[in-house]
Amino acid sequence: VENVRLLDRLSSRKATLGTLYLTATHVIFVENGSEARKETWVLHSQISSIEKQATTATGCPLLIRCKNFQVIQLVIPQERDCHDIYISLIRLARPVKYEELYCFSFNPKLDKEEREQGWKLVDLTEEYNRMGVPNNSWQISDVNRDYGVCDSYPTEVYVPRSATAHIIVGSSKFRSRRRFPALSYYCKDNNASICRSSQPLSGFSARCLEDEQMLQAIRKANPGSDFLYVVDTRPKLNAMANRAAGKGYENEDNYSNIKFQFIGIENIHVMRNSLQKMLEVCELKSPSMSDFLWGLENSGWLKHIKAIMDAGIFIAKAVAEEGVSVLVHCSDGWDRTAQVCSVASLLLDPYYRTMKGFMVLIEKDWVSFGHKFNHRYGNLDGDPKEISPVIDQFIECVWQLMEQFPCAFEFNERFLIHIQHHIYSCQFGNFLCNSQKERRELKIQERTYSLWAHLWKNRADYLNPLYRPDHSQTRGTLWPQMAPCNFLYKFWSGMYNRFEKGLHPRQSVTDYLMAVKEETQQLEEELEVLRERLANLQKSQLNDYKVKSKQQDRSKQLGLSTSDNSLANTPQEYSNDLKSFPSRSPSQGDEEDSALILTQDNLKSSDPDLSATSDQESGVEDLSCRSPSCLPSEDSGKDSDEAVFLAV
Amino acid sequence: MLRCSQPLTGPNRKRCREDEMLLGTVLDEGERGFVIDTRSAQVAKQARMTGGGTEPKSSYPQWKRLHRPLERGRLLQESFIKLVEACNDTSVNMDRWLSRLESSRWLSHVKAALSTACLAAQCMDREEASVLVHGAEGTDTTLLVTALAQVILDPSCRTLVGFQGLLEREWIQAGHPFHLRCSHSAYSHARLKQEAPLFLLFLDCVWQLSRQFPFSLEFGERLLLTLFDNAYASAYGTFLCNNEKERRVGESTHSLWAWLNEPGEKKKYLNPLYSPNPLVIWPSVEPQSIQLWQGLFLRWIRSSQHLDEAWAEIQCIVEGH
């Protein structure tokens, strides 16, 4: 459809004219005329809702809201076209078969072996070995090898050695969805463990010998403690209400030596509503500080983030400080349980703060343990009541921790944002379906590609320049400040206002520091090479050879040319009073103020929203977009001189 | 950009030939200028009753008046106190923290100050028009606007030396009554007289700029904190008294600037990421872009260890290069 206008969210005066295309996998808006022909690509999988607004004199407005928080406002000239687009998008955004999803047609031009290698990058058996299991106390159980005991669990689960198959099966019958207690994290320093399950089907008075034996086995697997914490992450009222439905929580009287604790994180419906309210605040046009703060508080979002974090801290403390094992559950053990276990693991073990470790953590506590990705994130059209930003909240907890501990994580904010993006994008097969069983049935690994391999390949973009493995922040357990600490929770505008460039610092400190580090390293390497050559030359006694010494002004090479107009930013609308005066635009770049970075020649970010034809969203992965970290072009002259010098 | 105090129009709409001529010399034939009055239109009008007022259009035809009310005086001090109380209150749970923060209104004041300064900057840079700023006395919100606008517009004000010069000019020599404004802190239980944290508000706005433009200021947070400290209690005479006349004690005190600029001291205040930016820096004044200045308001409440370590790491990386 031609002559479509794309409105700018912050400044409604700025609209670009272009053509709208609908393909099998994307919505694409291509700007008219401009040399750059900027394109905006949106995957159908990302579309959360489409709103047709009242026709005005200028046309029919269409609002597309995405799961990655991009909001696109289009104005279609003809009502008829608008309606057609609307109907099409509704259908395209609600696929009924997995095969409709992008991951089945996405082709990064890798061969079969590379695809396979990509899937092998994260290996959970290796991970459990790293933790120190199996060992004297813990073993792998194959009781679920055909998913016969629990279809949402993986085929391989780790259980205490004293937990026989009989006990496991018996316990699984007493647990909601048959999700019996299994190992999530083992701390080899003190043998304490974090286990996870779903709620027991205890009702008001039911008991199950095998389930009680299971908990006892877990407790005994930790000789350093004579009791076990059982943490129910639900609010007490909800847990009690579940008893009326034949479920509930563990009675301390029935289970020997347990200490029971409610932590009170709200359910998926509350979280869904909370996010909704927060996004409404984000959509306010020119809100006052009051509107914003009230709206944010009213949504309760940060309160929920803190609740999850507090739960993780409690469990981490139990393990690291008290040396006590913890069994965590919620209702079904696949939402709050996953959040809380992974936060606790992150606090306890620095490995999970590395890039690889983080991928492993998600693979372990979310993917393998049957978090319902399809239902929660709407891969396929389904029950809207199942949709909830569960993993988004976990990812935000990680970001909040990164803000408090800037040196502790090997990866940066962009890494988190891209992971969130791809959980919804269905461009890769990692987060499809609701369980390992379903994914194997669909042969995901043979038909799609792994996100982890893709991120790993581009890991230079995701590094945190402040990370050092030997830094005090990176070793050992992370302890966020406890009360008072409310003020430590910030609104994550990098995520929820991700696409509003005007809101973010124009210059990325992360990218700059990475570029500096890389150049320092290159220079050091060069220096080393030169030293060696010099030594060799001196050895071969070429005394009469005139050594050319090139004085190079290294400080200028980083290309910190801030007089570059591309750095210029534009004022937002501070006032309406200036309307009567025609605004004269000086040469300070009133054009697109895209989030360019200082050393723009050095690093091309693989952020999907920055590049025009995003190499992550288009059907073909354009490897040429990934420019090597080369020095700016002013060096090329010097290079040839050096080549002459060194060749002798 | 010019600054002054309110014209003494009074209830009888007095005129002053000399004042009109003076402002007339600023603008060429046919040029327009802006008057930014930091009081609301209503307050400015009411000021006539007590002998003050605004520039009537008829007498100053080339000047368009814009009202941008900025909080000052007792209300601003109370806002400051409320914020400090909210930060120190350990009983506040997450349910109520943001509304406590909001009810102090401090961040709203930051937003308003930045917006007004940007407006002044926009008039000059985009409209290429001259700007006259005043409130009532010309010693508080006026200086906030003119000083902030210069940081936004002028790269030399963003250097360490340039910033000090800006402070000298726009705050100290311009006669901001530091002694009256900073005689008691927000923790004090003394009866409020003329305290008002305008200077702190200015420093907060500069901090917001440093966050949004991490490469564009030659100095870092530490300088801003030091200035805050010294405005209230100082071993130096720089922020003493209320104006230059009173400050003739100058001979018997030491200058803060002299100490700050000593090579050993100076490097503590530098921003390792600094790279001179010749352009105007236009901040975003959306609520998401304005944050609580934790380094100041939570200074004694939360540990800055991890952030300090991060800065040390940044320093390391830059120096290594």
Side-chain angles (χ1 to χ4, degrees):
Chain A
V1 178
E2 294 180 333
N3 295 320
V4 171
R5 289 213 316 287
L6 176 67
L7 301 184
D8 181 285
R9 268 254 316 135
L10 277 185
S11 164
S12 47
R13 279 191 278 167
K14 275 203 243 167
T16 41
L17 202 59
T19 308
L20 192 70
Y21 299 87
L22 256 62
T23 72
T25 48
H26 292 81
V27 181
I28 309 168
F29 177 83
V30 183
E31 253 180 48
N32 282 350
S34 70
E35 289 148 16
R37 269 179 52 93
K38 179 162 182 276
E39 300 179 3
T40 306
W41 288 55
V42 177
L43 266 170
H44 296 317
S45 300
Q46 288 284 5
I47 297 176
S48 168
S49 71
I50 309 144
E51 194 186 313
K52 224 169 67 145
Q53 293 168 325
T55 307
T56 65
T58 48
C60 309
L62 198 66
L63 192 65
I64 303 175
R65 290 191 181 86
C66 298
K67 300 170 187 175
N68 63 359
F69 311 113
Q70 188 167 15
V71 178
I72 293 173
Q73 175 117 43
L74 299 165
V75 179
I76 322 285
Q78 300 291 345
E79 211 277 327
R80 171 80 159 282
D81 289 330
C82 184
H83 185 75
D84 286 345
I85 294 171
Y86 176 71
I87 297 295
S88 307
L89 284 180
I90 295 263
R91 172 64 187 86
L92 289 165
R94 294 178 188 169
V96 290
K97 287 192 324 236
Y98 280 109
E99 284 73 12
E100 292 178 57
L101 296 176
Y102 185 33
C103 52
F104 291 100
S105 55
F106 171 61
N107 177 14
K109 303 238 168 80
L110 299 173
D111 64 35
K112 197 158 152 265
E113 213 201 282
E114 283 167 311
R115 188 213 304 256
E116 228 179 87
Q117 280 306 109
W119 283 105
K120 295 208 170 97
L121 185 67
V122 172
D123 182 338
L124 288 183
T125 311
E126 228 177 76
E127 169 54 16
Y128 284 103
N129 285 346
R130 183 199 70 86
M131 279 191 229
V133 293
N135 62 10
N136 291 337
S137 318
W138 295 88
Q139 64 180 0
I140 304 177
S141 171
D142 69 345
V143 76
N144 200 40
R145 63 190 165 281
D146 299 313
Y147 304 106
V149 177
C150 173
D151 63 2
S152 60
Y153 263 8
T155 48
E156 283 191 351
V157 281
Y158 290 73
V159 294
R161 260 189 208 280
S162 53
T164 61
H166 172 77
I167 289 174
I168 297 171
V169 173
S171 169
S172 77
K173 291 185 179 151
F174 195 63
R175 293 275 165 182
S176 172
R177 318 280 179 176
R178 290 172 303 163
R179 291 169 68 87
F180 56 87
L183 181 71
S184 163
Y185 180 72
Y186 174 72
C187 178
K188 61 171 163 289
D189 295 336
N190 61 12
N191 299 309
S193 67
I194 302 175
C195 291
R196 53 184 290 179
S197 69
S198 57
Q199 65 183 323
L201 303 175
S202 51
F204 288 99
S205 58
R207 289 181 71 160
C208 167
L209 180 63
E210 290 83 6
D211 194 69
E212 289 167 28
Q213 287 171 331
M214 187 71 186
L215 265 64
Q216 189 172 63
I218 294 172
R219 175 174 55 82
K220 291 209 164 130
N222 177 11
S225 168
D226 54 15
F227 71 97
L228 172 73
Y229 275 118
V230 176
V231 168
D232 188 330
T233 57
R234 299 169 292 180
K236 183 166 181 180
L237 231 53
N238 297 23
M240 284 172 67
N242 265 281
R243 283 192 303 181
K247 303 179 215 174
Y249 54 94
E250 294 80 350
N251 184 339
E252 273 181 0
D253 297 333
N254 298 343
Y255 292 83
S256 59
N257 303 320
I258 66 163
K259 273 200 194 147
F260 188 85
Q261 183 89 20
F262 281 114
I263 299 233
I265 300 172
E266 301 289 347
N267 65 35
I268 56 167
H269 309 293
V270 172
M271 301 310 193
R272 185 178 56 248
N273 290 332
S274 175
L275 178 64
Q276 179 61 34
K277 287 211 182 116
M278 187 170 73
L279 294 178
E280 280 165 20
V281 174
C282 293
E283 279 193 34
L284 292 174
K285 288 260 189 302
S286 301
S288 67
M289 204 70 213
S290 273
D291 292 337
F292 180 72
L293 291 174
W294 272 109
L296 189 56
E297 182 166 88
N298 194 38
S299 75
W301 182 259
L302 290 178
K303 178 182 73 168
H304 298 313
I305 297 291
K306 180 171 185 291
I308 295 164
M309 190 81 88
D310 285 345
I313 293 171
F314 176 87
I315 292 166
K317 280 211 159 105
V319 169
E321 283 184 356
E322 296 180 62
V324 178
S325 295
V326 186
L327 171 67
V328 189
H329 70 77
C330 42
S331 293
D332 294 322
W334 46 39
D335 293 313
R336 289 165 280 195
T337 300
Q339 290 173 325
V340 157
C341 286
S342 36
V343 169
S345 301
L346 199 66
L347 294 172
L348 285 168
D349 194 334
Y351 175 66
Y352 299 125
R353 293 174 233 139
T354 63
M355 207 178 289
K356 180 88 187 300
F358 191 67
M359 298 181 194
V360 166
L361 182 65
I362 293 181
E363 199 60 38
K364 176 169 69 78
D365 275 312
W366 295 83
V367 177
S368 82
F369 269 102
H371 176 68
K372 298 197 298 175
F373 284 92
N374 177 29
H375 282 178
R376 292 287 172 265
Y377 313 117
N379 306 157
L380 301 179
D381 189 29
D383 181 1
K385 291 234 170 0
E386 290 276 345
I387 303 275
S388 189
V390 181
I391 205 170
D392 305 59
Q393 287 182 321
F394 164 65
I395 291 172
E396 177 162 341
C397 284
V398 183
W399 177 77
Q400 299 284 356
L401 284 171
M402 272 171 56
E403 289 286 293
Q404 291 183 43
F405 301 96
C407 301
F409 292 82
E410 192 190 23
F411 48 86
N412 59 30
E413 182 187 36
R414 183 184 290 137
F415 187 62
L416 296 177
I417 292 177
H418 284 198
I419 290 177
Q420 192 267 2
H421 177 96
H422 284 301
I423 284 167
Y424 290 97
S425 79
C426 301
Q427 181 172 342
F428 300 91
N430 309 62
F431 310 114
L432 252 45
C433 310
N434 286 327
S435 66
Q436 190 191 71
K437 174 170 189 263
E438 284 181 31
R439 278 184 291 274
R440 287 198 184 161
E441 280 165 4
L442 266 179
K443 299 205 196 321
I444 293 292
Q445 292 196 3
E446 286 136 74
R447 300 161 71 193
T448 69
Y449 294 86
S450 168
L451 172 66
W452 302 137
H454 174 82
L455 294 176
W456 189 250
K457 190 157 57 97
N458 292 319
R459 61 189 175 281
D461 290 344
Y462 300 122
L463 290 172
N464 169 17
L466 304 181
Y467 175 78
R468 266 190 298 118
D470 57 346
H471 196 285
S472 61
Q473 275 183 36
T474 63
R475 281 175 295 162
T477 317
L478 225 50
W479 291 127
Q481 176 164 332
M482 296 302 282
C485 60
N486 298 327
F487 38 72
L488 293 175
Y489 291 91
K490 298 192 274 206
F491 173 76
W492 191 6
S493 71
M495 172 66 87
Y496 305 110
N497 293 127
R498 180 178 163 197
F499 295 91
E500 287 165 64
K501 297 285 177 237
L503 248 52
H504 308 300
R506 224 138 249 85
Q507 308 152 324
S508 164
V509 176
T510 299
D511 291 342
Y512 169 73
L513 290 173
M514 283 309 302
V516 171
K517 273 180 103 162
E518 272 183 63
E519 202 188 58
T520 304
Q521 198 184 359
Q522 277 176 10
L523 292 174
E524 278 168 0
E525 285 165 10
E526 258 178 63
L527 194 60
E528 227 4 81
V529 169
L530 291 174
R531 280 204 181 110
E532 272 179 45
R533 299 247 181 183
L534 196 59
N536 288 339
L537 283 170
Q538 285 169 344
K539 268 191 223 149
S540 46
Q541 294 176 13
L542 292 169
N543 295 334
D544 52 355
Y545 184 80
K546 289 194 191 103
V547 172
K548 250 199 246 175
S549 74
K550 268 234 119 182
Q551 284 293 9
Q552 288 174 14
D553 190 352
R554 291 290 175 184
S555 64
K556 293 229 168 45
Q557 279 184 359
L558 214 49
L560 298 177
S561 51
T562 50
S563 53
D564 187 353
N565 277 349
S566 57
L567 243 206
N569 65 331
T570 50
Q572 66 174 86
E573 282 171 37
Y574 299 114
S575 159
N576 284 329
D577 295 274
L578 298 179
K579 263 194 210 143
S580 51
F581 280 54
S583 188
R584 280 162 266 182
S585 15
S587 60
Q588 268 182 14
D590 270 331
E591 320 83 37
E592 194 58 51
D593 54 305
S594 41
L596 295 167
I597 53 176
L598 274 179
T599 53
Q600 54 176 313
D601 286 331
N602 291 6
L603 271 180
K604 163 113 183 182
S605 158
S606 58
D607 188 329
D609 52 295
L610 277 188
S611 42
T613 32
S614 162
D615 58 347
Q616 283 190 332
E617 306 237 45
S618 59
V620 173
E621 189 168 69
D622 187 351
L623 296 169
S624 65
C625 281
R626 283 281 307 125
S627 64
S629 312
C630 55
L631 300 170
S633 53
E634 53 189 352
D635 278 350
S636 50
K638 294 172 192 166
D639 277 346
S640 52
D641 283 320
E642 277 181 356
V644 167
F645 167 56
L646 291 171
V648 178
Chain B
M1 183 161 59
L2 304 118
R3 54 174 156 77
C4 59
S5 53
Q6 66 179 322
L8 300 175
T9 327
N12 300 323
R13 297 171 194 269
K14 273 190 288 187
R15 287 181 67 166
C16 171
R17 205 77 193 92
E18 290 88 347
D19 194 76
E20 290 166 32
M21 277 175 68
L22 182 59
L23 287 183
T25 61
V26 173
L27 300 176
D28 286 337
E29 196 65 40
E31 259 189 0
R32 312 272 299 249
F34 290 95
V35 174
I36 297 181
D37 190 327
T38 60
R39 304 165 294 177
S40 68
Q42 193 182 31
V43 166
K45 197 168 162 194
Q46 278 166 2
R48 291 216 312 255
M49 300 306 139
T50 46
T54 56
E55 295 84 352
K57 185 120 185 95
S58 46
S59 318
Y60 301 85
Q62 287 175 278
W63 294 88
K64 180 171 157 84
R65 195 170 64 236
L66 304 173
H67 286 277
R68 285 292 172 281
L70 293 180
E71 198 69 87
R72 55 190 284 277
R74 168 159 300 201
L75 287 174
L76 192 65
Q77 183 74 5
E78 282 172 1
S79 167
F80 178 33
I81 291 171
K82 263 193 171 158
L83 176 58
V84 168
E85 277 173 4
C87 290
N88 281 284
D89 189 350
T90 49
S91 73
V92 185
N93 63 29
M94 198 58 196
D95 274 354
R96 298 262 69 91
W97 158 248
L98 290 172
S99 47
R100 278 293 287 275
L101 179 61
E102 194 287 322
S103 70
S104 75
R105 299 202 42 77
W106 180 260
L107 294 179
S108 299
H109 298 315
V110 172
K111 182 183 192 318
L114 276 171
S115 302
T116 309
C118 285
L119 177 63
Q122 208 171 11
C123 292
M124 294 182 67
D125 184 76
R126 295 285 153 134
E127 306 298 325
E128 294 178 3
S130 293
V131 171
L132 174 68
V133 185
H134 72 76
E137 255 97 277
T139 53
D140 294 274
T141 52
T142 304
L143 306 181
L144 176 59
V145 173
T146 57
L148 208 48
Q150 287 177 62
V151 178
I152 290 168
L153 285 167
D154 187 350
S156 68
C157 290
R158 294 179 226 134
T159 63
L160 184 59
V161 160
F163 188 67
Q164 291 170 39
L166 177 72
L167 295 177
E168 260 297 320
R169 262 191 338 272
E170 296 299 318
W171 286 92
I172 296 170
Q173 288 174 17
H176 178 70
F178 279 97
H179 180 69
L180 291 172
R181 298 286 174 265
C182 301
S183 50
H184 289 110
S185 74
Y187 291 94
S188 164
H189 294 292
R191 247 188 67 197
L192 292 180
K193 287 190 220 147
Q194 302 233 34
E195 292 82 358
L198 270 318
F199 187 58
L200 168 59
L201 186 54
F202 168 70
L203 295 174
D204 195 326
C205 291
V206 175
W207 180 80
Q208 305 288 341
L209 289 173
S210 76
R211 241 190 30 85
Q212 295 194 29
F213 299 93
F215 299 87
S216 300
L217 299 179
E218 195 184 18
F219 48 90
E221 183 181 56
R222 187 160 173 173
L223 178 69
L224 301 175
L225 291 173
T226 304
L227 291 168
F228 168 72
D229 288 339
N230 279 277
Y232 283 85
S234 181
Y236 301 90
T238 305
F239 290 104
L240 226 50
C241 305
N242 290 313
N243 48 52
E244 194 175 270
K245 181 175 170 198
E246 287 179 23
R247 217 169 280 124
R248 284 291 145 85
V249 303
E251 343 292 89
S252 47
T253 62
H254 293 283
S255 159
L256 176 66
W257 309 136
W259 170 66
L260 279 182
N261 290 307
E262 268 171 39
E265 267 306 298
K266 182 169 157 176
K267 61 178 189 244
K268 297 182 196 167
Y269 302 106
L270 294 173
N271 169 17
L273 296 171
Y274 178 60
S275 174
N277 177 1
L279 304 173
V280 177
I281 53 175
W282 299 108
S284 158
V285 297
E286 293 301 311
Q288 296 94 315
S289 306
I290 296 175
Q291 293 194 2
L292 177 65
W293 184 7
Q294 292 200 3
L296 186 122
F297 293 104
L298 305 178
R299 201 168 170 191
W300 314 113
I301 300 168
R302 69 112 176 83
S303 160
S304 64
Q305 179 198 350
H306 302 116
L307 297 172
D308 291 340
E309 284 170 359
W311 278 108
E313 201 55 39
I314 292 175
Q315 189 91 32
C316 234
I317 293 171
V318 171
E319 277 170 8
H321 184 262

